[in-house]
Amino acid sequence: MANSVGMIELSSIAKGIETCDSMIKAADVELLRSSTICPGKYMVIIGGDTGSVDAAMKVGEETAAQFLVDKLLIANISDQLMPALSGTSQVPTEGAVGVIEFYSVASAILAADAAAKAAAINLIEIRTGFAVGGKGFVTMSGDVSAVTEALKAAESVSELMIHSVVIPRPMDKLYEALM
């Protein structure tokens, strides 16, 4: 399992594919996601030990050049981050729901990691740019105070936040829609 995550977002799909190739050739990293995102951008997410991710990110930034939109590197990620990114989180359907929305995919990932480390919450999902106009958003659950604390931690480390909300007593149908 990766203990560090790196992400590069590009404004060109062709350059994104080339950047992905250069990153995974540069170091012993795992390709976690490589895909188009709205509106016509490309995203590469890699994982591995911090040194390898850092080396691959440097090559990726060089290759991306003027097409680089955003980037991030998080060392020692929360255990909840990867399942939330891949949509495989298994969380209890009880308690409050927190949602935080960003203009940037990188901001959403960074905020999710901070939220999971700050409070006893369960990350439900980190949505990254696809079918949401290039935005990112994070959903989480837990008791009201933990979700509130997690949202504050997420807001403090991220840029480009649009809005956040805590829903204290969501209906079961809302949980069903989020899972």
Side-chain angles (χ1 to χ4, degrees):
M1 173 86 184
N3 68 346
S4 296
V5 163
M7 190 225 48
I8 290 187
E9 184 178 343
L10 301 99
S11 60
S12 165
I13 295 167
K15 196 64 168 177
I17 294 169
E18 177 188 19
T19 299
C20 176
D21 181 64
S22 69
M23 291 171 73
I24 58 179
K25 286 178 177 172
D28 184 22
V29 293
E30 182 181 352
L31 180 59
L32 301 172
R33 184 176 292 169
S34 176
S35 64
T36 57
I37 57 174
C38 299
K41 297 189 291 183
Y42 201 83
M43 171 181 66
V44 180
I45 301 176
I46 58 170
D49 67 80
T50 303
S52 296
V53 171
D54 186 48
M57 289 291 293
K58 287 177 181 164
V59 169
E61 290 173 50
E62 240 176 65
T63 306
Q66 75 271 16
F67 297 102
L68 181 68
V69 172
D70 207 349
K71 64 180 180 170
L72 70 77
L73 190 150
I74 305 172
N76 301 313
I77 60 172
S78 161
D79 292 341
Q80 294 188 57
L81 193 71
M82 294 316 303
L85 266 171
S86 63
T88 60
S89 295
Q90 300 294 314
V91 299
T93 54
E94 56 190 35
V97 167
V99 182
I100 189 165
E101 177 184 10
F102 302 90
Y103 285 113
S104 160
V105 170
S107 291
I109 295 169
L110 185 64
D113 185 65
K117 290 175 178 173
I121 53 97
N122 297 296
L123 289 179
I124 298 170
E125 182 183 20
I126 304 167
R127 184 76 59 93
T128 53
F130 185 72
V132 290
K135 294 179 181 180
F137 72 89
V138 180
T139 52
M140 64 191 75
S141 67
D143 67 48
V144 173
S145 62
V147 170
T148 301
E149 183 181 340
L151 288 181
K152 285 180 185 173
E155 292 169 8
S156 74
V157 300
S158 54
E159 300 174 358
L160 304 174
M161 188 188 92
I162 298 169
H163 188 66
S164 67
V165 64
V166 177
I167 303 168
R169 292 177 304 282
M171 298 293 291
D172 289 342
K173 291 191 183 291
L174 178 62
Y175 270 113
E176 290 171 21
L178 293 174
M179 297 302 168

